[in-house]
Amino acid sequence: MNGSLGAAELLPDVHPAWLPPTAFRALGARRVRVVGDGPIADTVRAEALAATTAHGGALVTEDPELDLVLTGPDDDPEAFAITRDAAGTTTVTASGPGLLYGFHHLVRAGESAFQETGEHHPAYPVRMLDHWDNVDVHPVMGQVERGYSGGSLLYADGAVRPDLTRVAAYARLLGSIGVNRVALNNVNVHRTEARLLTDLLPEVVRLAEVFRPHGIRAHLSVTFASPILLGGLTTADPLDPEVRSWWARTTAAVYAAIPDFGGYVVKADSEGQPGPFSYGRDHADGANALAEALEPFGGTVFWRAFVYDHHQDWRDRTTDRARAAHDHFTPLDGEFADNVVLQVKNGPIDFQPREPVSPVIAAMPTTRLAVEFQVTQEYTGQQRHVCYLGPQWSEVLRFPFGDREVHTLAAGVTAVSNVGDDPFWTGHPLAQANLYAFGRLAWDPTADPDELLREWIALTFPDPAAHAPLHELMSGSWRAYEDYTAPLGVGFMVRPGDHYGPDVDGYEYTRWGTYHFADRDGVGVDRTRATGTGFTGQYPQPWREVYEDPGTCPDELLLFFHHVPYGHVLHSGKTVVQHVYDTHFAGVEAVERMVTTWESLRGKVSDDVHERVTERLVEQLRCAVEWRDQVNTYFLRKSGVPDAHGRTIH
Ligand code: GCW
């Protein structure tokens, strides 16, 4: 089938997410005309037809109340304009996917949007989701690396699924929030997946066809060793002419099959993946070789900055994983080709619930950067816990480096997807909000994440009686998660391997570079210039000073930057150890309130959703209690300082 799945074709056994028929209420009673041809216009037409059929409107060819018009080509096919004439007709014009975005803007904003006039543009051309899906089931990581929503949506039985109906429904959801690029396979590229670039390319063609009608371009994660692995060459040296010509030929074949192919995602010299270092070359040499092959076709290389020493010795206090991306990449600023985007994780270490913003983002003014977020909740409860991450991403995007907020320094945003073949898409039905908020923030990084949460709730849950309680349950859920897990930005007190649940010392003596250094006197990582690893020096003013001094460092990041005694007094007036106790009790209490609130929603949300979330909340509460007790007991035993309120610590 092709990808134009309209709302009328809702899949019976799949949750409609934020596009149930009721979401189209505002639009549906109108007489709607869609003018234009091609895949985007067809998608909009299918949507409009479904919406009007369900709500008593009609698809018309003349006298429309809503006119959706695909114009001739112009330079911003993703933008749309809304006008209103004296007769009361609202017209949306766009020259490409903007028509779809305009349509969904009206759906979301409801009646008021029909009165407005104006132009809308996405903040960036790059609004991308990366799938860490493997074609084959990996012996350790399973089919989706860090996937918490069942198997892969894209692949089954060692190939792209024969029936792509659900992929089309997914593409429809992404198109509705403005996501315009997907990478189709894991950045850790294993043997079978490497071949998506060559002999398995016809499979990729099928996927690209399904995404195209929703304005979404397909990308592949490729292994840097492809010329050896797939091309039979003896080297993958990026400066070798044969290697370059192999990439050129291979890439030309990809474009012959998929003319709107987006480009490559590359994890090189990172966690065991091959890269240019083997040949004495640097990351710019590596990225530029692939960029050269993609350039004639308008393709982009997404080169990841997640590079660090993953064989560190815990005894070595001079190596600091937080420093690694900046140390590796900032000397290369200005050396990357124009069609390279450096993909930088939002924090300097690894998607922890709380990290400072990566200093790399401020340090490469002549490189195109994309901020990478993790929608899949690897370190934030693995879709068993409610954890609405919109506020975290918003804080990052709005973080000021001098007079520029992060979103103005970036050329785009990317994120690791959280969907799978689960009937609710995301395992935890409320984790759909993260996917939604990511897309909406990628379109407008200045949007208020709390408003986006309200928007998602209103679209997803038809009964208004559910809206306020749901908002209350979810809006503070990231803070609650932060409260009952690793304190004050120190991070990584998770179980090694699967990264779920507490294990305070689990990573303390490993090779991964993620330590907290707790002893009987204190805890935290000294990353100061004065006495520590010097990481604070990677920040521009004022942050290099703000973070350097425990007196000015924000409480929530104190242990990321400083090793302090347990009696150190925070800005909040509490000692560090009392803060640990208090937040851990408070975090569990917050989850208990979530349970009660959710219970009150029985009958106000559909039974299947109620049942699934109830099941997950039982686990969240169990796990939060485990976190509270292990962390509190650990610090009581280390410090010997009793809880000021005499609560039970085991
Ligand atoms: O957070 C880590 C994950 C790895 C992942 C890596 C990365 C795909 O634990 O599973 O590998 O990040 O971002 O490359």
Side-chain angles (χ1 to χ4, degrees):
M1 65 163 292
N2 74 26
S4 37
L5 182 82
E9 298 163 77
L10 281 177
L11 305 173
D13 53 342
V14 174
H15 188 255
W18 53 84
L19 295 180
T22 47
F24 296 86
R25 256 182 308 230
L27 185 109
R30 289 183 159 78
R31 293 159 55 84
V32 185
R33 177 167 71 176
V34 181
V35 181
D37 298 310
I40 293 289
D42 288 348
T43 303
V44 174
R45 200 170 279 116
E47 291 289 354
L49 177 64
T52 53
T53 310
H55 294 283
L59 211 54
V60 296
T61 51
E62 52 193 30
D63 295 332
E65 291 161 286
L66 172 62
D67 210 7
L68 302 161
V69 182
L70 193 67
T71 61
D74 65 19
D75 42 319
D76 195 356
E78 296 200 317
F80 62 90
I82 305 180
T83 54
R84 197 172 157 81
D85 69 12
T89 301
T90 301
T91 303
V92 179
T93 51
S95 68
L99 195 66
L100 185 63
Y101 306 148
F103 172 85
H104 283 287
H105 171 80
L106 293 177
V107 167
R108 270 193 298 272
E111 214 39 58
S112 62
F114 288 89
Q115 314 305 323
E116 74 174 59
T117 56
E119 282 183 26
H120 296 254
H121 307 260
Y124 317 109
V126 173
R127 308 182 301 280
M128 179 160 177
L129 279 166
D130 289 357
H131 286 263
W132 286 356
D133 294 33
N134 301 313
V135 178
D136 288 331
V137 178
H138 185 269
V140 181
M141 285 298 167
Q143 192 172 23
V144 181
E145 180 151 349
R146 311 307 180 184
Y148 311 105
S149 310
S152 169
L153 187 65
L154 310 173
Y155 311 105
D157 305 320
V160 168
R161 288 178 179 277
D163 178 358
L164 295 179
T165 314
R166 279 209 65 192
V167 180
Y170 173 59
R172 171 179 179 246
L173 289 171
L174 296 191
S176 78
I177 50 173
V179 169
N180 68 351
R181 294 167 180 265
V182 288
L184 299 171
N185 62 300
N186 189 1
V187 289
N188 292 326
V189 184
H190 308 294
R191 277 192 173 266
T192 303
E193 293 74 16
R195 291 166 42 212
L196 291 168
L197 186 60
T198 51
D199 59 307
L200 297 182
L201 186 64
E203 302 279 293
V204 183
V205 172
R206 292 183 50 234
L207 286 174
E209 276 168 4
V210 171
F211 283 103
R212 186 172 299 124
H214 302 276
I216 300 166
R217 295 168 78 179
H219 301 62
L220 287 175
S221 291
V222 297
T223 163
F224 196 76
S226 298
I228 303 174
L229 218 59
L230 306 167
L233 304 190
T234 54
T235 178
D237 180 351
L239 299 192
D240 183 293
E242 270 190 69
V243 168
R244 292 179 98 99
S245 106
W246 185 85
W247 278 111
R249 270 182 284 123
T250 305
T251 304
V254 172
Y255 277 90
I258 309 171
D260 60 348
F261 182 70
Y264 300 140
V265 178
V266 192
K267 173 176 178 177
D269 288 314
S270 165
E271 299 187 329
Q273 293 297 303
F277 288 172
S278 311
Y279 309 98
R281 314 297 183 194
D282 65 27
H283 284 280
D285 297 326
N288 292 346
L290 275 62
E292 181 185 76
L294 288 160
E295 196 276 332
F297 309 100
T300 305
V301 180
F302 293 86
W303 193 268
R304 297 181 81 228
F306 182 60
V307 177
Y308 69 99
D309 177 2
H310 69 295
H311 285 107
Q312 208 184 309
D313 185 336
W314 61 270
R315 299 165 194 83
D316 165 16
R317 298 291 287 258
T318 59
T319 305
D320 177 5
R321 175 164 164 182
R323 295 188 55 117
H326 190 282
D327 285 345
H328 280 292
F329 285 94
T330 59
L332 301 176
D333 186 34
E335 290 182 28
F336 290 97
D338 289 346
N339 60 329
V340 174
V341 169
L342 190 65
Q343 193 166 313
V344 185
K345 286 193 182 185
N346 64 270
I349 295 201
D350 200 353
F351 296 140
Q352 296 304 289
R354 173 72 69 174
E355 288 188 46
V357 174
S358 169
V360 176
I361 297 167
M364 301 190 66
T366 53
T367 303
R368 290 172 71 202
L369 298 175
V371 182
E372 182 180 302
F373 294 116
Q374 199 179 40
V375 180
T376 193
Q377 290 171 241
E378 177 179 1
Y379 297 101
T380 49
Q382 305 201 345
Q383 281 131 257
R384 288 183 247 182
H385 298 220
V386 183
C387 186
Y388 173 56
L389 290 164
Q392 187 202 49
W393 304 330
S394 173
E395 273 186 24
V396 172
L397 292 165
R398 308 225 54 178
F399 184 79
F401 278 123
D403 57 2
R404 299 192 57 184
E405 292 187 350
V406 160
H407 64 91
T408 71
L409 293 163
V413 280
T414 69
V416 188
S417 173
N418 62 351
V419 303
D421 68 359
D422 172 72
F424 296 100
W425 301 101
T426 50
H428 199 308
L430 302 185
Q432 291 173 8
N434 286 330
L435 190 61
Y436 184 83
F438 168 74
R440 299 283 289 118
L441 284 169
W443 179 277
D444 176 7
T446 65
D448 174 356
D450 212 50
E451 281 308 311
L452 296 178
L453 177 60
R454 284 182 212 283
E455 195 178 274
W456 174 79
I457 290 171
L459 290 168
T460 306
F461 297 92
D463 184 349
H467 295 178
L470 257 168
H471 182 264
E472 181 197 313
L473 189 159
M474 293 178 73
S475 68
S477 55
W478 167 48
R479 304 281 171 151
Y481 188 83
E482 181 181 15
D483 277 350
Y484 62 76
T485 57
L488 298 166
V490 76
F492 268 103
M493 291 180 173
V494 289
R495 204 157 61 205
D498 72 354
H499 298 164
Y500 185 73
D503 187 345
V504 179
D505 278 339
Y507 271 110
E508 201 55 15
Y509 307 100
T510 66
R511 60 196 171 100
W512 297 96
T514 48
Y515 315 118
H516 56 67
F517 301 118
D519 59 20
R520 64 177 187 177
D521 300 317
V523 56
V525 190
D526 185 353
R527 295 195 158 105
T528 62
R529 303 190 287 291
T531 52
T533 69
F535 170 66
T536 58
Q538 294 185 341
Y539 285 89
Q541 292 291 16
W543 302 109
R544 51 190 290 121
E545 300 307 334
V546 169
Y547 293 144
E548 176 75 8
D549 178 354
T552 51
C553 183
D555 284 351
E556 68 271 16
L557 289 170
L558 185 70
L559 303 183
F560 192 96
F561 286 104
H562 297 278
H563 185 88
V564 296
Y566 293 117
H568 175 93
V569 179
L570 298 166
H571 300 293
S572 68
K574 290 182 185 178
T575 62
V576 163
V577 73
Q578 192 59 43
H579 172 94
V580 171
Y581 299 151
D582 288 353
T583 50
H584 283 74
F585 284 111
V588 170
E589 284 157 18
V591 179
E592 284 164 349
R593 284 194 300 277
M594 289 181 196
V595 172
T596 312
T597 305
W598 185 253
E599 188 47 45
S600 78
L601 286 170
R602 192 183 294 280
K604 300 190 178 101
V605 303
S606 64
D607 290 346
D608 57 346
V609 168
H610 200 272
E611 200 181 313
R612 176 68 75 90
V613 174
T614 301
E615 192 186 292
R616 304 261 151 159
L617 278 167
V618 168
E619 166 55 17
Q620 181 171 4
L621 184 56
R622 183 208 64 77
C623 189
V625 167
E626 196 61 33
W627 269 103
R628 178 196 66 193
D629 291 345
Q630 288 203 25
V631 171
N632 282 350
T633 298
Y634 181 92
F635 284 105
L636 176 64
R637 288 183 186 174
K638 285 268 160 168
S639 70
V641 180
D643 172 33
H645 306 294
R647 291 164 292 195
T648 303
I649 298 181
H650 300 273

